[in-house]
Amino acid sequence: MGWSQGVGGGLVVNGQLVRGAHGTAGEIGHTSCDPEGKPCHCGGRGCLEGLIGLPALLAACADRGVAVADAEEMIVLAAKGRPAVADVFRDVAVTAGRVLAALAAQVDPECIVVCGEPAALDELVLAPIREQLAALSLPAAPRTVEVRGSALGGDAAALGGGGPAAAHHRAGTGRAARRAARPRRRTRRTPRPPPRSRMYRPVPRRRISPSPYAGRPMSCGAWSSSRAALS
């Protein structure tokens, strides 16, 4: 789960990213937690992203009387144990854990990786998520779903987005791309036939005068004389 200004996710099965029939698989941030909640830019209401995204956390800190300049300062205060700020992160981690528990009941993952700025708080946010998974996601089933922070830190989303581009670049340097870039050989072209008007121009026929012996039986002598006359 990517947790930052927004909330997203990705399902990886057998080392491959599952995109879904319409390319929207893994949009965990747009799971509706409150159908009567605030409208979301996705068109829904009460989405998880609007409840646990960093803008929502800044607003929650302000409601509890803690003024923070930005998300970085908020993370620092929570890491130092500022009670009001730490409670905000625990509360939203519980909400995230409930959504992840529902997801885990459907797809049965081996591991859930949390990345983004809040993941730097480690057990402050990961422990509540684990508790919700243990309590709500098939607690009687003999399984254990690992929950851990990303080893890539806040750069996980950027690196993940660059992965498809790198794969496309590698595919572009393969054998097929080299073959396409190779100059094509010039082949001999078969001469085109002349236009129909030139091919089928009518040829005038020569007029041949009728033979004076046409329709009459001829003897051998007459036939020879007629041939001589024609020649």
Side-chain angles (χ1 to χ4, degrees):
M1 180 180 74
W3 186 358
S4 184
Q5 297 291 330
V7 178
L11 302 176
V12 179
V13 179
N14 295 328
Q16 299 294 324
L17 180 65
V18 178
R19 302 182 183 278
H22 307 94
T24 59
E27 285 288 355
I28 188 174
H30 296 290
T31 302
S32 179
C33 301
D34 182 9
E36 302 298 327
K38 295 181 180 180
C40 179
H41 63 84
C42 73
R45 282 183 172 271
C47 291
L48 178 65
E49 179 176 296
L51 299 177
I52 72 170
L54 293 182
L57 299 184
L58 291 170
C61 289
D63 292 341
R64 300 192 184 196
V66 181
V68 289
D70 52 21
E72 184 178 356
E73 181 183 354
M74 181 175 59
I75 297 293
V76 172
L77 291 176
K80 290 181 178 180
R82 182 77 173 268
V85 181
D87 289 343
V88 168
F89 277 95
R90 289 193 190 96
D91 292 344
V92 297
V94 169
T95 303
R98 291 172 181 168
V99 175
L100 290 172
L103 177 65
Q106 303 300 319
V107 301
D108 190 22
E110 178 183 1
C111 178
I112 295 176
V113 179
V114 181
C115 64
E117 291 89 338
L121 298 174
D122 201 17
E123 291 303 309
L124 181 63
V125 295
L126 298 183
I129 293 176
R130 292 193 190 99
E131 292 171 1
Q132 295 302 310
L133 282 168
L136 302 177
S137 183
L138 303 176
R143 67 172 189 168
T144 301
V145 179
E146 181 186 1
V147 179
R148 60 183 176 87
S150 172
L152 300 176
D155 297 331
L159 294 173
H168 180 73
H169 175 72
R170 288 193 298 268
T173 57
R175 182 182 301 175
R178 292 195 299 269
R179 186 181 303 168
R182 190 180 305 164
R184 298 179 62 182
R185 296 180 179 178
R186 298 185 62 180
T187 57
R188 296 184 61 184
R189 294 184 179 181
T190 305
R192 296 179 60 183
R196 186 180 181 87
S197 59
R198 293 174 56 186
M199 288 181 59
Y200 299 98
R201 182 177 297 175
V203 180
R205 296 182 179 181
R206 294 180 59 187
R207 287 189 65 182
I208 302 177
S209 57
S211 171
Y213 301 99
R216 294 170 53 186
M218 293 186 299
S219 61
C220 293
W223 174 251
S224 300
S225 61
S226 63
R227 288 185 61 187
L230 290 174
S231 60

PDB file of all heavy atoms in Angstrom, residues 158-174:
ATOM      1  N   ALA A 158       8.064   6.212  -6.811  1.00  0.00           N
ATOM      2  CA  ALA A 158       8.805   6.710  -7.981  1.00  0.00           C
ATOM      3  C   ALA A 158       9.549   5.580  -8.675  1.00  0.00           C
ATOM      4  O   ALA A 158       9.563   5.485  -9.904  1.00  0.00           O
ATOM      5  CB  ALA A 158       9.777   7.805  -7.557  1.00  0.00           C
ATOM      6  N   LEU A 159      10.160   4.700  -7.872  1.00  0.00           N
ATOM      7  CA  LEU A 159      10.884   3.579  -8.468  1.00  0.00           C
ATOM      8  C   LEU A 159       9.931   2.596  -9.130  1.00  0.00           C
ATOM      9  O   LEU A 159      10.225   2.031 -10.186  1.00  0.00           O
ATOM     10  CB  LEU A 159      11.708   2.874  -7.390  1.00  0.00           C
ATOM     11  CG  LEU A 159      12.859   3.699  -6.795  1.00  0.00           C
ATOM     12  CD1 LEU A 159      13.494   2.955  -5.629  1.00  0.00           C
ATOM     13  CD2 LEU A 159      13.903   4.002  -7.858  1.00  0.00           C
ATOM     14  N   GLY A 160       8.779   2.403  -8.507  1.00  0.00           N
ATOM     15  CA  GLY A 160       7.798   1.505  -9.113  1.00  0.00           C
ATOM     16  C   GLY A 160       7.250   2.057 -10.408  1.00  0.00           C
ATOM     17  O   GLY A 160       7.023   1.316 -11.371  1.00  0.00           O
ATOM     18  N   GLY A 161       7.041   3.384 -10.465  1.00  0.00           N
ATOM     19  CA  GLY A 161       6.568   3.989 -11.702  1.00  0.00           C
ATOM     20  C   GLY A 161       7.605   3.935 -12.809  1.00  0.00           C
ATOM     21  O   GLY A 161       7.268   3.867 -13.986  1.00  0.00           O
ATOM     22  N   GLY A 162       8.889   3.971 -12.421  1.00  0.00           N
ATOM     23  CA  GLY A 162       9.942   3.898 -13.435  1.00  0.00           C
ATOM     24  C   GLY A 162      10.200   2.495 -13.932  1.00  0.00           C
ATOM     25  O   GLY A 162      10.858   2.314 -14.955  1.00  0.00           O
ATOM     26  N   GLY A 163       9.672   1.490 -13.206  1.00  0.00           N
ATOM     27  CA  GLY A 163       9.892   0.104 -13.622  1.00  0.00           C
ATOM     28  C   GLY A 163       9.344  -0.211 -15.004  1.00  0.00           C
ATOM     29  O   GLY A 163      10.053  -0.744 -15.860  1.00  0.00           O
ATOM     30  N   PRO A 164       8.042   0.101 -15.285  1.00  0.00           N
ATOM     31  CA  PRO A 164       7.524  -0.163 -16.630  1.00  0.00           C
ATOM     32  C   PRO A 164       8.275   0.569 -17.723  1.00  0.00           C
ATOM     33  O   PRO A 164       8.477   0.040 -18.812  1.00  0.00           O
ATOM     34  CB  PRO A 164       6.067   0.314 -16.527  1.00  0.00           C
ATOM     35  CG  PRO A 164       5.741   0.220 -15.081  1.00  0.00           C
ATOM     36  CD  PRO A 164       7.016   0.548 -14.357  1.00  0.00           C
ATOM     37  N   ALA A 165       8.722   1.813 -17.419  1.00  0.00           N
ATOM     38  CA  ALA A 165       9.485   2.555 -18.431  1.00  0.00           C
ATOM     39  C   ALA A 165      10.821   1.877 -18.718  1.00  0.00           C
ATOM     40  O   ALA A 165      11.260   1.783 -19.865  1.00  0.00           O
ATOM     41  CB  ALA A 165       9.703   3.991 -17.962  1.00  0.00           C
ATOM     42  N   ALA A 166      11.462   1.380 -17.640  1.00  0.00           N
ATOM     43  CA  ALA A 166      12.733   0.681 -17.835  1.00  0.00           C
ATOM     44  C   ALA A 166      12.529  -0.616 -18.604  1.00  0.00           C
ATOM     45  O   ALA A 166      13.335  -0.973 -19.474  1.00  0.00           O
ATOM     46  CB  ALA A 166      13.383   0.406 -16.477  1.00  0.00           C
ATOM     47  N   ALA A 167      11.435  -1.318 -18.286  1.00  0.00           N
ATOM     48  CA  ALA A 167      11.154  -2.565 -19.005  1.00  0.00           C
ATOM     49  C   ALA A 167      10.887  -2.293 -20.479  1.00  0.00           C
ATOM     50  O   ALA A 167      11.325  -3.040 -21.358  1.00  0.00           O
ATOM     51  CB  ALA A 167       9.958  -3.276 -18.366  1.00  0.00           C
ATOM     52  N   HIS A 168      10.170  -1.195 -20.748  1.00  0.00           N
ATOM     53  CA  HIS A 168       9.908  -0.831 -22.143  1.00  0.00           C
ATOM     54  C   HIS A 168      11.212  -0.494 -22.864  1.00  0.00           C
ATOM     55  O   HIS A 168      11.396  -0.843 -24.030  1.00  0.00           O
ATOM     56  CB  HIS A 168       8.945   0.349 -22.186  1.00  0.00           C
ATOM     57  CG  HIS A 168       8.610   0.803 -23.572  1.00  0.00           C
ATOM     58  ND1 HIS A 168       7.785   0.090 -24.412  1.00  0.00           N
ATOM     59  CD2 HIS A 168       9.009   1.893 -24.282  1.00  0.00           C
ATOM     60  CE1 HIS A 168       7.678   0.719 -25.565  1.00  0.00           C
ATOM     61  NE2 HIS A 168       8.415   1.813 -25.514  1.00  0.00           N
ATOM     62  N   HIS A 169      12.120   0.185 -22.143  1.00  0.00           N
ATOM     63  CA  HIS A 169      13.402   0.530 -22.762  1.00  0.00           C
ATOM     64  C   HIS A 169      14.213  -0.733 -23.050  1.00  0.00           C
ATOM     65  O   HIS A 169      14.821  -0.857 -24.113  1.00  0.00           O
ATOM     66  CB  HIS A 169      14.175   1.456 -21.830  1.00  0.00           C
ATOM     67  CG  HIS A 169      15.562   1.764 -22.331  1.00  0.00           C
ATOM     68  ND1 HIS A 169      15.808   2.587 -23.408  1.00  0.00           N
ATOM     69  CD2 HIS A 169      16.790   1.327 -21.889  1.00  0.00           C
ATOM     70  CE1 HIS A 169      17.109   2.659 -23.625  1.00  0.00           C
ATOM     71  NE2 HIS A 169      17.721   1.914 -22.719  1.00  0.00           N
ATOM     72  N   ARG A 170      14.190  -1.672 -22.086  1.00  0.00           N
ATOM     73  CA  ARG A 170      14.931  -2.911 -22.327  1.00  0.00           C
ATOM     74  C   ARG A 170      14.338  -3.679 -23.487  1.00  0.00           C
ATOM     75  O   ARG A 170      15.061  -4.263 -24.302  1.00  0.00           O
ATOM     76  CB  ARG A 170      14.921  -3.771 -21.056  1.00  0.00           C
ATOM     77  CG  ARG A 170      15.800  -3.225 -19.946  1.00  0.00           C
ATOM     78  CD  ARG A 170      16.002  -4.265 -18.873  1.00  0.00           C
ATOM     79  NE  ARG A 170      14.750  -4.636 -18.246  1.00  0.00           N
ATOM     80  CZ  ARG A 170      14.274  -4.047 -17.149  1.00  0.00           C
ATOM     81  NH1 ARG A 170      14.928  -3.051 -16.594  1.00  0.00           N
ATOM     82  NH2 ARG A 170      13.134  -4.446 -16.628  1.00  0.00           N
ATOM     83  N   ALA A 171      13.011  -3.679 -23.576  1.00  0.00           N
ATOM     84  CA  ALA A 171      12.378  -4.367 -24.699  1.00  0.00           C
ATOM     85  C   ALA A 171      12.729  -3.685 -26.014  1.00  0.00           C
ATOM     86  O   ALA A 171      12.862  -4.332 -27.049  1.00  0.00           O
ATOM     87  CB  ALA A 171      10.863  -4.392 -24.506  1.00  0.00           C
ATOM     88  N   GLY A 172      12.932  -2.365 -25.967  1.00  0.00           N
ATOM     89  CA  GLY A 172      13.275  -1.639 -27.183  1.00  0.00           C
ATOM     90  C   GLY A 172      14.682  -1.888 -27.661  1.00  0.00           C
ATOM     91  O   GLY A 172      15.018  -1.571 -28.791  1.00  0.00           O
ATOM     92  N   THR A 173      15.540  -2.440 -26.803  1.00  0.00           N
ATOM     93  CA  THR A 173      16.912  -2.744 -27.211  1.00  0.00           C
ATOM     94  C   THR A 173      17.084  -4.222 -27.530  1.00  0.00           C
ATOM     95  O   THR A 173      18.201  -4.689 -27.663  1.00  0.00           O
ATOM     96  CB  THR A 173      17.883  -2.353 -26.089  1.00  0.00           C
ATOM     97  OG1 THR A 173      17.520  -3.055 -24.883  1.00  0.00           O
ATOM     98  CG2 THR A 173      17.831  -0.857 -25.833  1.00  0.00           C
ATOM     99  N   GLY A 174      15.993  -4.957 -27.636  1.00  0.00           N
ATOM    100  CA  GLY A 174      16.064  -6.385 -27.903  1.00  0.00           C
ATOM    101  C   GLY A 174      16.266  -6.692 -29.368  1.00  0.00           C
ATOM    102  O   GLY A 174      16.505  -5.811 -30.213  1.00  0.00           O
TER     103      GLY A 174
END
